[in-house]
Amino acid sequence: MNIFFRELKANRKSLVIWSVCMALGVLSGMSKYTAYSGDNANNGVLNELPRAFRALLGMGDFDVTKMSGFFAFLFLYLELAAAAHAVLLGSGILAKEERGKTAEFLAVKPVSRSAIITSKLCAALVNLLVLDAVILISSIAMVAAYNKGPEINGEIVLFVLSLFLVQLIFVSMGTLFAAALKKPKLTGPAAAGVMVGSFVVSEITNLTDRLDALKVLSPFQYFSYSGIVRGDGLDPLAVSLSLALAAFLLWLTYFCYRRRDLNV
Amino acid sequence: MSVIELKNLTKQYGKSRGIRNVNLNVEEGEIFGFIGPNGAGKSTTIRTLLGLIRPTGGSAAVFGKSCIEHPEVRKEVGYLPSEVFYYDGMRVTDLLKYSASFYKKDCTKRIAELAERMDLDLNKKIADLSFGNRKKVGIVQGLLHEPKLIILDEPTSGLDPLMQQKFFELIAEENRKGATVFFSSHILSEVQKMCGRVAFIKEGKIIKLEKMSDLQANSYKRISLEAESAVPEEVFRIDGVSDLHTKGNTVSFMFRGNLNTVLRKIASVSLRNISITEPDLEEIFLHYYTKEG
């Protein structure tokens, strides 16, 4: 438990900053909704843009003049930011002991390496939940402030739920990088690089239907936002596959970290 | 049961670094010296023993158990690393409390007592501490749970002589209370003062393991003599003589073995002057490193 509380405290400042930025992101994103919707003349133009161009902007098939479509469009960027937070949190929380050379302090305490990982993961999980709560609450509040059509609170909850699963994948990817890479300074950049790479893959698969097989490489593609907007809910297969992938990455984290030499 | 038991402990990384077939037993209640130059494998041995790195061969046990399979045995171990690094944002007192929280006993009094003896300001931030003060945090951190085994890796670097003195008193006190001490250093005089037995390590191999008393008092003599006339070198080419230098009428060498044989040889020379002294450990040490390595 002591490691858990220590990590909560150590990550407190960064969590506050991320939370504020996320809330501001929702605020500034939603404040643009009036420009897309309502009486302005450009709504027709937006819907007639070429599909590839809309995909590049992240609009995809969404009708951004409606609140549900606009929120899905906005949420993609929130998701990207939250994924960056998760992957850096995961890699940092484990790699920092070696980066700061405190491994020689922590790893000679009477705790197993597995117990160290478990405590740190629990602390990371709390961080994710807090950030998600911030996203959820600020989204519901800001959507309510701008929404003139039907309320979409149910959809927002589903969006955040799907985000949480994606975060789980990225946080465990981050810890795996920290556990598997020998150079602790490389883990952050490497994990962030893979995260950005998977986002790029996601964008490419949005551009064309022919590369749909690549979707499996990008957690950003596991949950269909247009499905949520249509009212299809979360695909149970996607939910279980995401959980399985996160569990596998975590298992690898434990496996690698338990048997490797710590950099001291 | 030995407190520390290393059996053919081997750790190889890269081509040359690491340790090879290290065998050691440290018994309960002793202060054991571990001597070698920088890069000889002292820290590698300790880190393998503590489970920070995994051996590529052999085994290492503390209180009969491997630290990797039984991490809980480390609750009786206090470790002072050669370079002390802590979480920069924390205050000293928070760090020490965090450290104490791993041992399931109340260490508050002990922390205050150790900090006072080591003259350590508990309210400072770790990031603001000098190297020496950081080392003091390390000392308090390593001793606050009254471990039965204290492992010290180059403990005095960064401490001023006064603090070194206090530190040695502290360690001697713990030892009197029953703690076993494993003391790694490249400074011989400090090991000489404290340790009962000493192992020499060079290039990853133990080259000698001896009782301090054997090393110093009984066996080694540094003999210098001045004769009436030039002494042929062959006279002192006998078993037990090493580091032999002859220059005109003077001869000097180290001797280990039966004193009578060497005294008979000396008697065969017509002497003008002679001195027979105890070599300090430094001399014995250099001797091993140059001759047997």
Side-chain angles (χ1 to χ4, degrees), chain B residues 22-151:
Chain B
V22 171
N23 286 292
L24 268 190
N25 282 300
V26 178
E27 305 304 330
E28 197 179 335
E30 75 173 324
I31 302 185
F32 189 94
F34 196 46
I35 287 286
N38 295 325
K42 299 188 299 287
S43 294
T44 302
T45 307
I46 291 174
R47 285 164 182 169
T48 316
L49 172 67
L50 288 171
L52 285 164
I53 52 180
R54 298 174 79 90
T56 41
S59 67
V62 174
F63 300 108
K65 284 174 176 170
S66 146
C67 281
I68 293 173
E69 281 136 42
H70 303 275
E72 71 280 358
V73 302
R74 291 191 293 226
K75 71 175 183 292
E76 297 297 354
V77 179
Y79 172 47
L80 174 63
S82 54
E83 288 175 73
V84 184
F85 289 98
Y86 294 123
Y87 309 93
D88 279 348
M90 285 174 97
R91 286 187 308 146
V92 174
T93 176
D94 294 330
L95 177 98
L96 293 175
K97 278 181 197 154
Y98 181 43
S99 179
S101 69
F102 287 92
Y103 298 106
K104 296 184 179 75
K105 53 175 148 183
D106 184 21
C107 307
T108 330
K109 238 179 90 184
R110 173 93 170 149
I111 291 174
E113 182 195 313
L114 286 170
E116 201 192 311
R117 284 188 65 171
M118 294 309 294
D119 195 16
L120 177 67
D121 184 352
L122 289 175
N123 290 314
K124 280 213 166 144
K125 277 208 161 184
I126 307 256
D128 299 336
L129 294 182
S130 66
F131 183 71
N133 278 320
R134 224 172 257 234
K135 197 91 189 186
K136 289 187 204 168
V137 179
I139 293 167
V140 178
Q141 186 269 131
L143 298 177
L144 56 84
H145 54 294
E146 296 176 273
K148 288 189 187 137
L149 170 61
I150 301 169
I151 296 178

